[in-house]
Amino acid sequence: GENVEQHPSTLSVQEGDSAVIKCTYSDSASNYFPWYKQELGKGPQLIIDIRSNVGEKKDQRIAVTLNKTAKHFSLHITETQPEDSAVYFCAASSPNPYGGSQGNLIFGKGTKLSVKP
Amino acid sequence: DTEVTQTPKHLVMGMTNKKSLKCEQHMGHRAMYWYKQKAKKPPELMFVYSYEKLSINESVPSRFSPECPNSSLLNLHLHALQPEDSALYLCASTPLAGANNEQFFGPGTRLTVL
């Protein structure tokens, strides 16, 4: 089955700097890669995602890159702000092995990002 | 309406109690999920309902009993829980359309078992 590795587990940056979080996956059939931000006491919030037919996607200060050959994808946050402080989870969605369209998410272990003012 | 709601926000129960968690979405999604999340860990999948039918049970103990009365509502019935079941219980939903697997999570129910 799919396995997702996420690094680093903690990341501390100064406000205004960039932050990069990296994930690798094992199942070459995985086709959807979301990133979630989870603030303390809240549920995960989808912040950006990318599909296997795209190499890069950007949304304001957040970007995600995907390298299918190497089976890794990364989250890039530029001009970090204190409100970016949270735990970030990457995930990979493997297709349903029994057919059909529904896949399930396999999560990385999370990265705790701290942005110092 | 583009959100998943969960009630209650917090729940404290004894090991002999019976309680239920409720999840609701009005986005027309046809798949709904229960996850369990322990502190500093990623969400762990418990159950998946697809078109109101249980499609995945990740070997969850029978003291957790899911129910999907209709396409908008998902319940998790709790009975005879153990202190180690204390966690954040998250509900999520996703449309069942091709490779469109965006999962939207609710805020969770923080459960404490005494």
Side-chain angles (χ1 to χ4, degrees):
Chain A
E2 177 64 278
N3 182 50
V4 177
E5 299 279 343
Q6 182 172 347
H7 298 281
S9 56
T10 59
L11 179 59
S12 183
V13 300
Q14 208 65 38
E15 183 177 0
D17 287 351
S18 295
V20 180
I21 303 171
K22 299 182 179 182
C23 289
T24 59
Y25 60 99
S26 59
D27 188 346
S28 56
S30 289
N31 56 15
Y32 174 64
F33 307 92
W35 286 89
Y36 287 89
K37 174 184 180 182
Q38 188 172 24
E39 296 175 279
L40 198 62
K42 297 185 178 181
Q45 177 192 6
L46 179 67
I47 56 171
I48 196 167
D49 56 14
I50 192 167
R51 301 189 186 280
S52 56
N53 59 346
V54 175
E56 184 173 358
K57 184 176 178 181
K58 190 173 181 180
D59 182 4
Q60 299 183 343
R61 297 186 296 109
I62 295 173
V64 57
T65 58
L66 171 65
N67 183 326
K68 284 191 297 182
T69 304
K71 288 190 275 190
H72 67 69
F73 56 113
S74 301
L75 178 71
H76 305 253
I77 306 174
T78 58
E79 300 172 27
T80 54
Q81 301 166 4
E83 50 265 39
D84 294 328
S85 297
V87 178
Y88 291 81
F89 291 101
C90 65
S93 180
S94 292
N96 186 333
Y98 304 106
S101 59
Q102 186 58 37
N104 294 315
L105 288 180
I106 308 299
F107 287 88
K109 292 189 174 181
T111 296
K112 184 176 181 181
L113 174 65
S114 300
V115 180
K116 298 178 182 177
Chain B
D1 189 350
T2 58
E3 65 173 1
V4 176
T5 60
Q6 289 187 245
T7 54
K9 293 185 74 171
H10 302 275
L11 179 61
V12 179
M13 61 187 290
M15 290 189 285
T16 57
N17 292 157
K18 285 186 181 181
K19 297 285 184 183
S20 296
L21 309 185
K22 180 179 173 180
C23 172
E24 206 161 354
Q25 58 87 16
H26 296 286
M27 295 179 279
H29 291 178
R30 301 312 300 268
M32 296 184 77
Y33 305 71
W34 280 116
Y35 286 86
K36 174 183 178 180
Q37 187 179 27
K38 300 285 273 186
K40 301 184 181 181
K41 299 286 187 183
E44 295 174 37
L45 184 65
M46 299 174 72
F47 302 104
V48 181
Y49 271 83
S50 179
Y51 289 93
E52 295 115 70
K53 287 186 172 22
L54 183 65
S55 61
I56 293 177
N57 175 342
E58 291 286 352
S59 303
V60 179
S62 59
R63 57 186 185 268
F64 295 91
S65 175
E67 178 197 18
C68 189
N70 59 57
S71 60
S72 301
L73 189 57
L74 184 67
N75 298 321
L76 185 63
H77 303 298
L78 314 173
H79 173 54
L81 294 193
Q82 304 296 311
E84 59 264 30
D85 296 321
S86 298
L88 181 68
Y89 287 83
L90 295 162
C91 174
S93 71
T94 184
L96 288 176
N100 187 1
N101 288 328
E102 292 117 336
Q103 281 194 26
F104 296 90
F105 283 85
T109 293
R110 175 74 59 190
L111 174 67
T112 303
V113 182
L114 301 177

